[in-house]
Amino acid sequence: MRGSLQVYKKVSVDSQLSAASPHKVIQMLMAGAIERLIQGKAAMLQGDIAVKGERLGKALDIVISLRTCLSMDEGGEIASNLDALYDFMIRQISEANRDNLDAPIDDVIDILREIKSAWDQIPAEYHNITQAGA
């Protein structure tokens, strides 16, 4: 049963991604990172080191992906500030995983929620703009 649920979730995410605007993809990545961080923290507090490492590792991969999506040439000061925040988050997740600390995870969750909240407020007419269309 659990395997079937995982397959269904993967198909659902894959189909959402194939139809998603660039804006929606970023929203999904941020939500996924927050979810993995919460799961990683819960596993840490339960002493489940394997799950903690796997979930924090996935969150770390997502944050790294978000950072690599930044357009430093076109993004100006905003991209530079986000780059610094993503760098900070990468270091915090790594420290939390290495030292079994939950406070750095909370810090990253708070930062991601704030960035996502701002991202969610971008008007719909800007959701499909890409570098080629800008």
Side-chain angles (χ1 to χ4, degrees), residues 28-39:
M28 290 172 69
L29 287 169
M30 289 181 187
I34 292 167
E35 182 180 350
R36 297 315 175 281
L37 288 164
I38 291 168
Q39 293 168 344

Side-chain angles (χ1 to χ4, degrees), residues 68-129:
T68 60
C69 290
L70 292 173
S71 176
M72 300 306 286
D73 293 336
E74 297 177 23
E77 186 178 347
I78 292 172
S80 180
N81 290 342
L82 283 170
D83 183 62
L85 279 173
Y86 288 137
D87 179 64
F88 174 77
M89 288 187 264
I90 290 165
R91 288 184 280 115
Q92 291 294 96
I93 295 168
S94 298
E95 176 187 351
N97 194 21
R98 181 189 66 226
D99 299 336
N100 280 325
L101 301 171
D102 61 335
I105 296 172
D106 292 334
D107 292 342
V108 174
I109 291 169
D110 290 344
I111 294 167
L112 276 172
R113 282 185 174 151
E114 191 164 330
I115 294 170
K116 185 177 182 309
S117 174
W119 191 259
D120 292 345
Q121 293 177 38
I122 295 173
E125 61 265 22
Y126 298 106
H127 289 193
N128 289 303
I129 293 178

